[in-house]
Amino acid sequence: MEANMSSEGQGHAQDVAPDRVARIQADWRRERPDLDVGPQAVIGRLHRLADRLAAELRLVYDRYGLGEGEFDVLCALRRAGEPFERAPGELASHTMVTTGAMTKRIDRLERSGLVTRRRSGDDQRGRIVALTPAGRDLVDRAFTDHMSNERRLLDLVTPEEAAALETLLAAWLRRLDD
């Protein structure tokens, strides 16, 4: 039953040995034959893959004493180009960090000497967050290792598979965002 997943609405997984998701689906099919558990084939595997990828990415962040959110903030500042600064609200829109979590991350980065905060020249109530030279050096090294790590992870699939995944995931995200 698990070996021929295609007939159960599970794509082309028939050439892959049963994994944890396939075993969970088989259990649910036995216990709840009235439900279509086919979506688990994709959603369950994407969820497991996201967890595994996040753990692999954290290895690099940890090496540099950063959490994922701090890494994201430093990268957003570095991508801003000279003078490597943004307002906190702008940082939130350029990262996967919420505005509520942004202050905590900036506080930690500032305590570590990786960013500074100053009043905005245009609006004395506003603040500007800027990379320090130490922050720029750290994010440049960390991002280089991060890209090598992502390459290592992506090289587990063929270039054709990676291109197909990119297309499918981009289309799916666009539809969810609409």
Side-chain angles (χ1 to χ4, degrees):
M1 180 172 176
E2 292 173 10
N4 186 5
M5 290 183 230
S6 184
S7 67
E8 299 292 334
Q10 296 182 22
H12 303 313
Q14 68 270 13
D15 59 340
V16 178
D19 61 4
R20 184 179 301 176
V21 173
R23 289 188 298 271
I24 290 168
Q25 285 182 285
D27 291 346
W28 277 119
R29 280 192 195 94
R30 182 189 69 238
E31 295 301 315
R32 292 292 310 269
D34 58 311
L35 291 178
D36 173 16
V37 296
Q40 283 184 321
V42 173
I43 303 295
R45 286 183 178 93
L46 281 174
H47 185 73
R48 290 203 65 227
L49 182 61
D51 286 348
R52 292 290 309 275
L53 290 174
E56 293 291 325
L57 296 177
R58 278 192 301 271
L59 295 173
V60 171
Y61 310 147
D62 291 348
R63 197 175 310 145
Y64 290 91
L66 299 169
E68 184 177 16
E70 287 121 2
F71 177 78
D72 204 13
V73 170
L74 292 174
C75 285
L77 289 168
R78 182 63 173 93
R79 288 192 316 268
E82 287 281 354
F84 309 112
E85 59 185 33
R86 295 182 193 264
E90 187 182 4
L91 272 174
S93 71
H94 285 271
T95 65
M96 293 201 228
V97 179
T98 65
T99 53
M102 185 59 67
T103 300
K104 293 176 188 174
R105 286 177 173 84
I106 293 169
D107 287 347
R108 282 194 292 269
L109 291 168
E110 188 174 35
R111 280 192 304 271
S112 298
L114 301 174
V115 302
T116 59
R117 275 188 273 216
R118 65 175 168 75
R119 292 193 186 281
S120 172
D122 300 337
D123 176 4
Q124 287 301 306
R125 294 171 296 154
R127 298 277 185 198
I128 298 294
V129 180
L131 273 179
T132 63
R136 182 175 174 192
D137 177 62
L138 182 82
V139 73
D140 280 349
R141 288 184 292 120
F143 187 71
T144 298
D145 284 354
H146 177 69
M147 285 294 92
S148 293
N149 193 31
E150 284 194 354
R151 171 52 52 205
R152 175 185 66 84
L153 293 167
L154 195 58
D155 282 347
L156 295 172
V157 299
T158 68
E160 296 78 19
E161 290 168 331
L165 272 172
E166 181 180 353
T167 300
L168 287 169
L169 293 172
W172 196 356
L173 278 170
R174 264 193 316 275
R175 291 173 189 148
L176 276 174
D177 288 343
D178 286 345

